[in-house]
Amino acid sequence: MVASPSSSSSFKHGELRGKGGKVRAYLEKGWRNFGANNASLLFDALKSAVPAAVLRERLNALRAEDLGVNPSDAASIRSRSGVAYQEVYGGPEMTVCIFLLRAGAWIPLHDHPGMTVFGRLLFGKMRVVSFDLLPSTRGQERVALARRRSDEIMGPEPVTYGLGPEEGNLHELQALESCAFLDVLSPPYDPDSGRDCTYYRLEGALHGDTCALVPTNAVGFGMETQAYRGPAFKPVP
C-alpha cells in the first residue's frame, strides 16, 4: 500500500523494474474501454519501461473522479471496521483496487510478501507507519525483527506513494479523515504461491528503530465490498 511519498522505493530508479516488469508485460496486451481520462493515461505509461518521472507524473494526475469514487462512499461505509474495498481488476499478474476508510478506521499492520505496490491517495488524510522486515527474520512464523521506516501523515492533498518487496513492505494505516486510495499490487496476494497477507502485532522496541513483530490474527477486522463504478478495465485478449 504505502511508504514515504517523498522517497518512495518504487520510484527511486530510472525505470520501474523487478516485479513491476510483469505488470508492464501484461499491460502491453492493451486495454479496452478504460476511458479517455487520467486513469487511461496512467496505464498507457505502464505499457513500457517509462522513466520513473513519467510514471510519477501519470499517478500525480490521477483524481478520485477519474475512478468514479467520492468522499460520500467512504463516509457511508457500514462495516464495523470502517474499511471498504472496490476491485478495479484482479488477475494472475496484478490486482488493481481502491480502499476506502471512514474517518477513524484502521488497517492493522500487515505485509506484502515479495510484492511491489504503487498507487495514489485520492482524497482525505491518513497516518501511515511503515517498517522494513530485517532479512535475517524473513519468513519466520514467530517473532520477526523489523526497522521502523517512517511515520507520517498523508493528505489532505492527493499524494503518490509506493513500496517494494523489501523497503516499507509492512505498514499500518489510520484514517484521520474519510479517505480513499488506489493500489496496484504485483504480483497479487496468492496463498497458494506463498503470498498470503500476514498481520502483525508490535511487541516492543529493542534498540533504536528496531522492534519485534509477532504474527497475529486480525480478529474482528474485515472489509465491506463496494461496487466499482469507474471506467471498465479489461485486458485485450
Side-chain angles (χ1 to χ4, degrees), residues 146-223:
R147 182 174 293 110
R148 188 186 299 267
R149 184 176 185 84
S150 65
D151 183 347
E152 59 186 309
I153 305 300
M154 290 187 177
E157 294 300 317
V159 63
T160 298
Y161 58 78
L163 62 82
E166 298 181 358
E167 298 174 307
N169 191 267
L170 289 75
H171 63 203
E172 61 182 7
L173 306 94
Q174 179 185 9
L176 304 179
E177 301 174 353
S178 291
C179 60
F181 53 90
L182 170 79
D183 266 359
V184 180
L185 305 93
S186 177
Y189 284 114
D190 182 1
D192 292 337
S193 299
R195 294 189 304 274
D196 201 359
C197 181
T198 301
Y199 291 94
Y200 291 88
R201 181 182 75 251
L202 182 62
E203 190 71 9
L206 299 178
H207 53 83
D209 291 333
T210 303
C211 55
L213 304 179
V214 178
T216 185
N217 293 322
V219 178
F221 177 74
M223 288 183 285

Side-chain angles (χ1 to χ4, degrees), residues 130-151:
S130 63
F131 298 83
D132 298 340
L133 193 63
L134 298 184
S136 61
T137 60
R138 291 184 185 281
Q140 292 192 11
E141 296 181 359
R142 297 184 179 180
V143 177
L145 299 181
R147 182 174 293 110
R148 188 186 299 267
R149 184 176 185 84
S150 65
D151 183 347

Side-chain angles (χ1 to χ4, degrees), residues 67 69 73 84-88 96-98 100 226-229:
L67 299 169
V69 65
D73 295 322
Y85 174 89
Q86 297 182 10
E87 184 169 278
V88 180
V96 183
C97 56
I98 300 169
L100 303 98
Q226 292 185 353
Y228 170 62
R229 302 191 306 272

Side-chain angles (χ1 to χ4, degrees), residues 109-146:
L109 181 63
H110 62 281
D111 65 358
H112 311 79
M115 299 159 64
T116 296
V117 182
F118 52 96
R120 176 82 166 162
L121 175 67
L122 301 170
F123 61 78
K125 185 164 63 174
M126 63 183 179
R127 180 188 178 194
V128 182
V129 182
S130 63
F131 298 83
D132 298 340
L133 193 63
L134 298 184
S136 61
T137 60
R138 291 184 185 281
Q140 292 192 11
E141 296 181 359
R142 297 184 179 180
V143 177
L145 299 181

